[in-house]
């Protein structure tokens, strides 16, 4: 498997990476939803701002329409108030055109419709405009602004509360516009008995009822109560009573002429002012609620991202700590295992070769794992393995030393006995005159010599120095003669050409023993009557002319 090829650190990283990825996978949709909520709330804020600006523009146009109706039916009214209101309306139109979003054709058409009011205003100032055409022009302009704002507002912007709030505000603006048309028609009816007032008021009242119902369907309960306070108030009830009189073709007041139009205008203006206050408060609540939702969603997204980053950082740090707590002891165990292997190999080689007997066996440092888990148990077991390995090597060294001492003791005792035996044989040889007995003594002397060579071999195995060991070089010929004297059938050998060379004193004993064994093998595995000639050749000396070296090509 692929996992079997991974290191422990990599496996632990995979184990920790899986919950990290799962955490990220679960958190990303949440953060994305909160980000979408922020964008939706910001869009609601933007639409609320445009709707509020449209409401301010509509309110100024409604005041301008009311003043224009009063101006047309009141011959003695100065034009200063109307001019001031026209200037305010144009300023609000300029602000609305600047703040309105680019793109929707309805907004462009609405702004163009506001520009077409110029001719109507001129006609009104000259008292040349008729009431029906004046009221129709302002209604067209106001409906264009309200309709354009409604068309530019998406019905599903990802913020249900914001969409419902904007719908409620726009419905309230439509209801207020219907109420404003009622007021303007009442002023015209009170001034000159406008014959179309009843139909206009009836239509406006129907629109007012419809949009009030739409408002109630989308607005929260506290805003509905706020609107009800105005609708059920004294001012609104007074205007409604005047509208009822107009719809039944009865005089709106008992006062005739301009005085009647002024009274109705003040009543309609008061009603419009109260409704404007309610509308502004609804708009502020809508903007405040959208800003709160945006802030809440932004805070939730930021907190989620912060928690994710914090969790990632914590899990990464925890994974590093966990990985190190496992890999470091494993690394120390691996290093210690390699040290034990190297130590065992070195010591096993050392105990099979000559070494300094005074040098104590090395000790391996114990592995310290600062934990109480399975790794600590493994480290404790490995420390026991190290101690056992060290003890085993120490016992091997001690055993080798004991065996060497035993071999040395046996070799020295054998040498002493052989020396005494040779002394006795030499004494017998000097006093013996019988050739047969003397021949047997010579053979016994050679056997003793061979036994001494065996004792010397034991000394070599034990690591003790031999008899010929010297600090000065020893001639090669002397070493060879010493070796031949150790061979039982030395008489069959003839030492031929030997280079004038020397051997280090420390190696002379070993070479003599080795050469004596070779000569003894040559004597034993050759015919008894064969003469054995020994020549020593220098690798750099080809020898005399015509001389053929052994094992050379014919």
């Amino acid at each position: 498997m692929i996992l079997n090829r991974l290191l422990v650190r990599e496996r632990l990283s995979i184990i920790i990476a899986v919950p990290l990825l799962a955490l990220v996978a679960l958190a990303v949709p949440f953060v994305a939803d909160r980000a979408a909520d922020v964008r939706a709330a910001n869009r609601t804020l933007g639409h609320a701002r445009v709707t509020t600006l449209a409401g301010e523009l509509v309110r100024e146009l409604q005041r301008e329409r009311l003043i224009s109706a009063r101006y047309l039916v009141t011959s003695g009214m100065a034009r200063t108030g109307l001019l001031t209101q026209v200037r305010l309306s144009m300023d609000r139109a300029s602000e609305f055109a600047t703040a309105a979003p680019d793109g929707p054709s309805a907004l462009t058409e609405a702004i163009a419709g506001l520009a077409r009011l110029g001719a109507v205003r001129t006609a009104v100032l000259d008292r040349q405009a008729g009431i029906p055409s004046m009221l129709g022009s302002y209604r067209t302009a106001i409906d264009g602004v309200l309709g354009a704002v409604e068309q530019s507002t998406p019905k599903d912007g990802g913020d249900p509360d914001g969409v419902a709030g904007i719908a409620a505000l726009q419905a309230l603006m439509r209801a207020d516009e219907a109420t404003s048309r009622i007021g303007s028609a009442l002023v015209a009816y009170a001034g000159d008995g406008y014959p179309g007032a009843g139909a206009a008021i009836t239509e406006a009242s129907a629109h007012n009822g419809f949009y009030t119902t739409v408002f109630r369907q989308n607005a929260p309960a506290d805003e509905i109560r706020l609107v009800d306070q105005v609708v059920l108030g004294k001012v609104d009830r007074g205007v409604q009573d005047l509208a009822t009189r107009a719809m039944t073709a009865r005089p709106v007041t008992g006062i005739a002429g301009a005085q009647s139009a002024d009274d109705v205008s003040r009543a309609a203006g008061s009603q419009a002012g109260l409704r404007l206050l309610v509308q502004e408060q609804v708009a502020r609540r809508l903007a405040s609620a959208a800003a709160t939702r945006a802030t809440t969603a932004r805070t939730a997204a930021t907190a989620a991202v912060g928690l994710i980053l914090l969790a990632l950082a914590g899990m990464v740090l925890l994974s590093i700590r966990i990985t190190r707590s496992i890999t470091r002891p494993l690394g120390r165990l691996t290093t210690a295992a390699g040290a034990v292997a190297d130590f065992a190999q070195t010591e096993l080689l050392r105990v099979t070769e000559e070494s300094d007997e005074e040098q104590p066996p090395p000790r391996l440092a114990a592995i310290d794992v600062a934990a109480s888990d399975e790794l600590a148990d493994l480290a404790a077991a490995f420390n026991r393995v190290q101690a056992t390995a060290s003890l085993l090597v120490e016992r091997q060294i001690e055993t080798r030393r004991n065996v060497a001492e035993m071999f040395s003791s046996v070799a020295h005792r054998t040498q002493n006995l052989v020396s005494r035996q040779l002394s006795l044989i030499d004494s017998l040889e000097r006093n013996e005159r019988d050739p047969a007995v003397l021949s047997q003594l010579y053979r016994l002397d050679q056997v003793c010599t061979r036994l001494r060579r065996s004792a010397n071999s034991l000394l070599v195995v034990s690591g003790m120095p031999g008899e010929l060991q010297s600090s000065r070089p020893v001639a090669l010929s002397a070493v060879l003669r010493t070796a031949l004297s150790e061979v039982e059938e030395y008489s069959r050998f003839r030492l031929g050409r030997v280079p004038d060379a020397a051997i280090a004193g420390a190696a002379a004993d070993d070479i003599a023993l080795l050469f004596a064994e070779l000569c003894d093998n040559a004597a034993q595995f050759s015919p008894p009557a064969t003469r054995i000639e020994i020549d020593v050749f220098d690798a750099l000396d080809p020898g005399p002319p015509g001389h053929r070296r052994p094992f050379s090509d014919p």
Side-chain angles (χ1 to χ4, degrees):
M1 294 179 62
I2 298 178
L3 291 177
N4 295 332
R5 303 176 184 176
L6 299 179
L7 300 176
V8 174
R9 181 184 296 106
E10 296 171 344
R11 298 181 189 181
L12 292 174
S13 300
I14 292 176
I15 294 175
I16 297 175
V18 171
L20 284 178
L21 293 176
L23 176 63
V24 171
L26 293 175
V28 166
F30 176 80
V31 174
D33 289 343
R34 300 293 78 73
D37 292 342
V38 172
R39 291 192 297 270
N42 288 331
R43 285 194 298 270
T44 300
L45 278 175
H47 295 312
R49 182 171 179 269
V50 173
T51 303
T52 301
L53 289 176
E56 294 175 356
L57 171 60
V58 168
R59 178 52 54 195
E60 298 300 331
L61 291 175
Q62 290 170 349
R63 288 174 177 173
E64 182 182 344
R65 178 177 58 191
L66 185 64
I67 295 174
S68 296
R70 181 184 173 191
Y71 180 78
L72 288 175
V73 298
T74 307
S75 58
M77 181 178 174
R79 58 192 302 179
T80 305
L82 179 58
L83 290 174
T84 301
Q85 184 59 44
V86 168
R87 189 175 298 109
L88 290 175
S89 298
M90 294 178 67
D91 292 340
R92 290 291 182 270
S94 177
E95 293 177 2
F96 176 75
T98 302
D102 297 333
S105 58
L107 287 174
T108 305
E109 181 64 27
I111 295 172
L114 294 176
R116 288 192 289 270
L117 284 177
V120 177
R121 287 165 177 162
T122 301
V124 170
L125 289 172
D126 295 336
R127 287 190 170 89
Q128 298 298 319
I131 294 295
S133 63
M134 183 272 296
L135 294 178
S137 297
Y138 278 97
R139 178 180 179 178
T140 301
I142 293 173
D143 286 346
V145 172
L146 294 178
V149 172
E150 291 171 355
Q151 291 181 25
S152 64
T153 303
K155 302 306 179 183
D156 184 12
D159 183 16
D161 294 338
V163 170
I166 292 177
L169 177 59
Q170 292 174 352
L172 182 62
M173 291 168 60
R174 286 285 189 177
D176 291 344
E177 161 59 12
T179 303
S180 177
R181 291 204 308 271
I182 293 174
S184 299
L186 284 174
V187 170
Y189 181 74
D192 63 353
Y194 171 46
I201 293 173
T202 301
E203 180 188 9
S205 298
H207 286 178
N208 180 46
F210 172 77
Y211 285 111
T212 299
T213 302
V214 174
F215 170 77
R216 293 177 181 277
Q217 291 174 350
N218 292 278
D222 55 344
E223 294 180 359
I224 295 175
R225 286 194 298 269
L226 186 63
V227 172
D228 287 341
Q229 291 176 1
V230 175
V231 172
L232 300 177
K234 180 178 179 180
V235 174
D236 207 280
R237 288 200 308 270
V239 174
Q240 290 176 4
D241 182 64
L242 293 176
T244 302
R245 289 173 178 271
M247 286 186 292
T248 58
R250 289 181 295 166
V252 294
T253 66
I255 305 175
Q259 183 65 37
S260 176
D262 290 340
D263 293 340
V264 174
S265 178
R266 281 192 294 270
S270 298
Q271 182 191 39
L274 290 175
R275 286 182 173 269
L276 176 62
L277 292 176
V278 174
Q279 186 182 125
E280 290 177 348
Q281 189 166 356
V282 170
R284 284 195 299 270
R285 290 185 178 183
L286 173 63
S288 176
T292 301
R293 288 193 298 274
T295 302
T296 302
R298 188 180 298 107
T299 303
T302 304
V305 172
L307 289 176
I308 292 172
L309 294 178
L310 184 62
L312 289 176
M315 295 189 73
V316 168
L317 292 177
L318 180 62
S319 65
I320 293 175
R321 294 292 300 272
I322 293 176
T323 302
R324 288 180 177 178
S325 67
I326 295 176
T327 57
R328 285 183 176 178
L330 288 178
R332 289 197 293 268
L333 288 172
T334 303
T335 303
V340 169
D342 295 339
F343 165 76
Q345 182 179 7
T346 301
E347 291 304 311
L348 288 176
L349 291 175
R350 190 169 71 89
V351 297
T352 58
E353 298 176 354
E354 183 179 359
S355 59
D356 187 4
E357 298 294 344
E358 300 299 328
Q359 180 181 0
R363 299 292 181 183
L364 295 173
I367 302 173
D368 184 18
V369 177
S372 58
D373 52 5
E374 292 82 354
L375 288 176
D377 297 338
L378 178 60
F382 202 85
N383 288 334
R384 293 175 57 192
V385 172
Q386 288 190 151
T388 303
S390 299
L391 181 60
L392 178 61
V393 172
E394 183 177 357
R395 292 291 176 84
Q396 289 177 340
I397 294 174
E398 184 178 356
T399 301
R400 178 184 179 278
R401 185 183 298 113
N402 294 335
V403 172
E405 290 178 356
M406 181 183 67
F407 282 175
S408 176
S409 176
V410 172
H412 280 99
R413 292 174 63 186
T414 301
Q415 283 180 338
N416 292 333
L417 291 175
V418 169
S419 297
R420 290 172 59 190
Q421 195 173 30
L422 288 174
S423 298
L424 293 174
I425 293 173
D426 289 340
S427 177
L428 291 174
E429 287 177 347
R430 285 193 299 270
N431 298 325
E432 183 61 48
R433 295 293 182 265
D434 187 353
V437 176
L438 189 60
S439 176
Q440 294 296 326
L441 290 175
Y442 285 157
R443 291 182 61 85
L444 183 59
D445 186 284
Q446 292 300 320
V447 172
C448 291
T449 302
R450 186 173 180 182
L451 182 59
R452 183 175 62 187
R453 190 174 76 239
S454 298
N456 290 336
S457 298
L458 284 177
L459 286 176
V460 172
V461 173
S462 66
M464 302 301 293
E467 295 179 354
L468 297 180
Q469 187 170 356
S470 173
S471 60
R472 294 182 299 175
V474 181
L476 178 59
S477 59
V479 174
L480 296 180
R481 289 188 180 90
T482 300
L484 288 176
S485 66
E486 301 289 333
V487 179
E488 182 178 358
E489 299 182 22
Y490 69 92
S491 59
R492 295 175 55 191
F493 290 86
R494 187 182 71 82
L495 190 59
R497 181 175 179 270
V498 179
D500 187 10
I503 297 177
D509 188 29
D510 293 341
I511 292 178
L513 288 175
L514 176 61
F515 191 71
E517 292 293 339
L518 292 175
C519 292
D520 191 59
N521 288 340
Q524 289 185 12
F525 297 101
S526 62
T530 303
R531 299 282 296 178
I532 302 173
E533 182 178 354
I534 300 175
D535 289 324
V536 181
F537 296 94
D538 189 350
L540 301 178
D541 183 9
H547 179 76
R548 184 171 65 85
R549 298 177 58 175
F551 310 109
S552 62
D553 295 334

